[in-house]
């Protein structure tokens, strides 16, 4: 009995020690804060956080270390627009077949796939029934594997708008959780979302591509409604993300003071200027168009949505280029969930193709995103004090950004969740 207890506590000690502290050695490190590549980094980790960042020769080290020589390390990537509870195989009327519980359970699988692809943090923008809150809490409790999640709960939108459910006739009285018309209903839904665990608020400022019966370029929320969402959210210390494709809706959302504009497809020069002036972030999902037009029909995307996408995707890419040139603050938001989870980082190469340097694209998916989340001391860079959220790739992403599509190693909060194995 006694020996058993001693053995158990020894085992516990050994486990805690080996998990608590480790050292990572690699060929190079992308320093997203200085915009430079650091060679031969040596990172020390203790209690889930980074305790030192040095560089030097590995021969000087005694003891065990995580050997990532031959690789480049980066901070865990951040996707600022994901839907972990949505399936890319289920669009349009197919989506009606899943209950919220079923979507939540599928979210468990999606969360793991996302983390394994090197995305250690996601901002989840819109889920009914607060299943995003449940998923976040299960991950934080250590029950399941997944990225750090910052969640919005149900997206707020007008009756019949992009964030409502418009698939069924009146007989079914179907309407989404987040429908709120008029400033006071908006205020109430913001308060309700906070009550049930939302970290931020998502509003639908304009129509969308995938919603039935909405015009993608047309404004939906009025300026007064959006101002109310922003006032309520900011008073409570949280941010607002606005889904907005259309020119006027984007302008109104920025004028109302939202923190980020999602999609921003038809943003014009005035919108770009205003975003720059107000420091509003743009989160432009420029990869997803390829999936929608390629595999969307088979996954149930309605023909009217495909028609809208044909008019949206290429303009969005042109406007992305303009916004990058103008120097607007940008984050990486992908809309993963519309397309397969785990393919998130395919967007990085498109961001480079349409005007960013590889470093800018990586910064959009790390330090910029962390700053928009108000978490820049915890995530988004490899620095002393931050969580040890670290990924590694073969080769250097500054020469070829597409290497980010093959993440070889993932550590989240000091725990290796995807070990690097040399044999592939
Ligand atoms: N969730 C978005 C919507 O339905 C997807 C837009 C995708 N298209 C694009 N070009 N970004 O509006």
């Amino acid at each position: 009995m006694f020996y058993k207890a001693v053995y158990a506590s020894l085992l516990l000690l050994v486990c805690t020690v080996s998990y608590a502290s480790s050292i990572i050695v690699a060929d190079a490190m992308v320093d997203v804060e200085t915009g430079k590549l650091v060679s031969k980094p040596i990172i020390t980790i203790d209690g889930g956080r980074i305790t030192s960042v040095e560089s030097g020769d590995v021969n000087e080290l005694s003891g065990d270390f995580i050997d990532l020589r031959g690789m480049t390390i980066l901070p865990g990537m951040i996707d600022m627009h994901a839907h972990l509870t949505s399936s890319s195989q289920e669009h349009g009327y197919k989506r009606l077949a899943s209950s919220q519980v079923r979507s939540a359970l599928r979210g468990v699988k999606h969360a793991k796939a996302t983390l394994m692809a090197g995305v250690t943090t996601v901002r989840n923008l819109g889920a009914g029934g607060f299943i995003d809150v449940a998923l976040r809490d299960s991950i934080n409790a250590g029950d399941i594997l997944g990225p750090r999640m910052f969640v919005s709960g149900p997206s707020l939108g007008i009756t019949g708008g992009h964030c409502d459910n418009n698939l069924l006739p009146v007989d079914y009285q179907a309407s989404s959780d987040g429908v709120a018309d008029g400033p006071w209903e908006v205020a109430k839904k913001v308060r309700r979302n906070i009550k049930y665990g939302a970290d931020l608020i998502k509003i639908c400022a304009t129509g969308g591509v995938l919603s039935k019966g909405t015009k993608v370029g047309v404004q939906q929320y009025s300026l007064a409604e959006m101002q109310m969402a922003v006032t309520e959210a900011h008073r409570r210390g949280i941010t607002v993300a606005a889904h907005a494709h259309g020119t006027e809706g984007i302008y109104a959302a920025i004028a109302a003071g939202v923190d980020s504009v999602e999609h921003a497809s038809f943003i014009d020069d005035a919108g770009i200027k205003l975003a720059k002036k107000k420091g509003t972030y743009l989160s432009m999902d420029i990869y997803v168009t390829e999936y929608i037009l390629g595999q969307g029909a088979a996954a149930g995307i309605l023909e009217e949505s495909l028609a809208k996408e044909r008019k949206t995707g290429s303009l969005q890419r042109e406007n992305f280029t303009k916004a990058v040139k103008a120097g607007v603050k940008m984050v990486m938001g992908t809309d993963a969930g519309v397309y397969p989870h785990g393919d998130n980082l395919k967007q990085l190469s498109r961001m480079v193709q349409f005007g960013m340097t590889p470093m800018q694209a990586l910064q959009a998916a790390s330090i910029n995103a962390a700053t928009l989340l108000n978490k820049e001391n915890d995530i988004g860079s490899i620095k002393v004090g931050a969580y040890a959220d670290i990924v590694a790739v073969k080769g250097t992403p500054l020469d070829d950004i597409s290497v980010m599509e093959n993440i070889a190693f993932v550590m989240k909060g000091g725990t290796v969740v995807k070990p690097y194995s040399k044999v592939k």
Side-chain angles (χ1 to χ4, degrees):
M1 207 39 203
F2 172 70
Y3 288 110
K4 244 189 186 167
V6 171
Y7 179 68
S9 52
L10 263 180
L11 198 70
L12 195 73
L13 195 72
V14 169
C15 289
T16 345
V17 170
S18 67
Y19 274 110
S21 127
S22 45
I23 296 172
I24 291 180
V25 170
D27 268 10
M29 173 184 99
V30 178
D31 184 338
V32 291
E33 285 195 312
T34 62
K36 297 214 168 85
L37 195 69
V38 176
S39 64
K40 296 187 182 168
I42 302 172
I43 315 295
T44 312
I45 294 138
D46 207 348
R49 296 211 185 231
I50 296 165
T51 50
S52 78
V53 179
E54 278 154 33
S55 57
D57 266 316
V58 71
N59 308 341
E60 296 159 18
L61 282 175
S62 57
D64 270 358
F65 57 88
I66 299 171
D67 189 358
L68 299 177
R69 279 175 296 180
M71 319 209 88
T72 302
I73 57 169
L74 306 99
M77 295 283 104
I78 305 175
D79 187 345
M80 292 297 272
H81 191 134
H83 299 277
L84 287 185
T85 58
S86 300
S87 161
S88 60
Q89 297 309 308
E90 221 179 46
H91 284 285
Y93 284 91
K94 281 193 178 176
R95 206 155 262 198
L96 292 178
S98 280
S99 66
Q100 289 183 341
V101 177
R102 177 78 178 91
S103 300
L105 291 170
R106 208 156 27 201
V108 175
K109 182 174 87 174
H110 298 153
K112 187 173 175 192
T114 303
L115 182 62
M116 293 307 157
V119 176
T120 53
T121 299
V122 303
R123 191 173 61 153
N124 204 78
L125 292 185
F130 294 93
I131 54 180
D132 50 354
V133 169
L135 197 57
R136 177 199 65 195
D137 292 348
S138 303
I139 292 169
N140 288 346
D143 298 344
I144 58 171
L145 266 188
R148 301 177 194 284
M149 289 181 75
F150 295 92
V151 308
S152 69
S155 311
L156 274 53
I158 66 164
T159 295
H162 178 69
C163 287
D164 196 359
N165 180 351
N166 311 318
L167 291 166
L168 298 167
V170 64
D171 313 54
Y172 293 88
Q173 295 290 313
S175 138
S176 295
D177 268 6
V179 167
D181 295 302
W184 294 114
E185 271 187 40
V186 168
K188 188 161 188 184
K189 284 272 153 107
V190 170
R191 292 170 186 175
R192 181 172 182 269
N193 278 9
I194 296 173
K195 172 178 175 177
Y196 292 114
D199 300 300
L200 63 126
I201 298 298
K202 179 184 178 188
I203 60 171
C204 283
T206 74
V209 171
L210 299 175
S211 49
K212 185 169 179 249
T214 71
K215 296 197 172 96
V216 63
V218 169
Q219 186 174 339
Q220 294 188 337
Y221 261 144
S222 66
L223 180 64
E225 287 168 317
M226 291 198 256
Q227 281 169 332
M228 182 58 98
V230 170
T231 306
E232 274 303 314
H234 285 180
R235 184 190 289 132
R236 303 291 294 278
I238 63 172
T239 56
V240 178
H243 158 106
H245 288 283
T247 315
E248 278 78 37
I250 293 171
Y251 207 82
I254 300 173
V258 303
D259 301 276
S260 70
V261 173
E262 307 303 307
H263 314 298
S265 306
F266 307 124
I267 193 167
D268 64 359
D269 291 344
I272 288 178
K273 221 169 146 191
L274 189 64
K276 227 191 141 179
K277 187 170 148 221
K278 302 224 0 163
T280 316
Y281 286 84
L282 301 184
S283 161
M284 299 176 76
D285 51 341
I286 59 170
Y287 169 74
V288 68
T289 182
E290 293 173 38
Y291 178 83
I292 294 175
L293 296 179
Q295 281 118 281
I301 294 183
L302 305 174
E303 177 45 45
E304 66 164 84
S305 292
L306 298 174
K308 286 192 270 187
E309 183 59 48
R310 287 181 208 111
K311 292 188 182 152
T312 306
S314 48
L315 267 174
Q316 187 189 28
R317 288 171 163 199
E318 279 174 32
N319 292 330
F320 176 86
T321 306
K322 283 190 194 163
V324 172
K325 274 210 182 101
V328 183
K329 291 196 222 168
M330 308 278 259
V331 292
M332 184 189 74
T334 68
D335 222 353
V338 172
Y339 72 97
H341 297 280
D343 282 357
N344 311 55
L345 299 184
K346 285 188 174 173
Q347 185 169 299
L348 287 170
S349 62
R350 277 53 171 194
M351 290 163 80
V352 171
Q353 186 185 344
F354 291 97
M356 284 185 169
T357 63
M359 183 57 87
Q360 281 177 318
L362 294 170
Q363 287 167 329
S366 57
I367 190 66
N368 298 8
T371 308
L372 174 53
L373 289 167
N374 285 316
K375 295 285 175 214
E376 66 275 21
N377 294 326
D378 286 333
I379 56 174
S381 63
I382 299 178
K383 66 173 170 211
V384 173
Y387 286 120
D389 291 356
I390 296 172
V391 300
V393 288
K394 267 218 167 110
T396 159
L398 299 182
D399 297 336
D400 175 10
I401 192 72
S402 70
V403 299
M404 296 302 291
E405 292 167 26
N406 283 303
I407 299 284
F409 167 91
V410 182
M411 170 183 271
K412 182 190 162 202
T415 302
V416 177
V417 290
K418 180 177 186 173
Y420 172 54
S421 69
K422 291 209 165 127
V423 257
K424 259 225 145 176

